[in-house]
Amino acid sequence: MKKFLLLTGGVIAACVALALIGPLAGLLFSGLFVALSMHFYIASKSTFGKIFWFTVGLIGVLSAISNIPAMVGLAAIAIIYVIYKKWNGEDVKIPTIEGKKEEDPFTNFEKEWSNLTK
């Protein structure tokens, strides 16, 4: 029964991802547009070049905003990935921000200060 539910969920997610392949391609193209414009904006020396590449980047951002349905397609692709992992019996690990161990800078300072005062 579990395999049947995984298969059904995978088929539904695949249908959604395939139905949204156009917006996904548009989002990819928009992202490339924005990345290239940022690269050339930073490399540009002239004011005209900076204005031009900023405008190109703005057009790319507006194009990416218009491809919001692609987010549903990205979610469907993520669901397909999780279902594939579950099908093979692998554990799915999703990284979280909470999982990172943050070091307190003051703790390090206290250690160094105690070493200096000895």
Side-chain angles (χ1 to χ4, degrees):
M1 185 67 170
K2 184 178 178 182
K3 294 280 187 176
F4 176 73
L5 290 175
L6 287 175
L7 182 66
T8 305
V11 168
I12 291 171
C15 288
V16 169
L18 286 175
L20 294 172
I21 198 82
L24 281 169
L27 184 65
L28 176 67
F29 182 72
S30 299
L32 285 172
F33 223 56
V34 171
L36 285 175
S37 67
M38 285 176 53
H39 171 75
F40 287 116
Y41 176 83
I42 292 170
S44 179
K45 303 291 182 204
S46 67
T47 304
F48 174 74
K50 289 199 180 279
I51 291 171
F52 176 76
W53 289 114
F54 177 78
T55 306
V56 170
L58 187 62
I59 291 169
V61 167
L62 293 174
S63 175
I65 290 171
S66 70
N67 287 312
I68 290 296
M71 296 301 171
V72 176
L74 287 175
I77 292 171
I79 290 170
I80 291 170
Y81 173 75
V82 170
I83 288 173
Y84 175 76
K85 288 288 198 176
K86 292 282 186 181
W87 185 275
N88 291 331
E90 298 174 23
D91 190 27
V92 180
K93 294 181 182 177
I94 300 173
T96 61
I97 296 173
E98 298 166 357
K100 285 189 171 182
K101 184 179 179 182
E102 294 184 23
E103 294 183 15
D104 187 16
F106 296 109
T107 307
N108 208 10
F109 174 76
E110 293 295 329
K111 288 178 188 175
E112 292 297 321
W113 185 256
S114 65
N115 288 338
L116 286 174
T117 56
K118 286 184 180 177

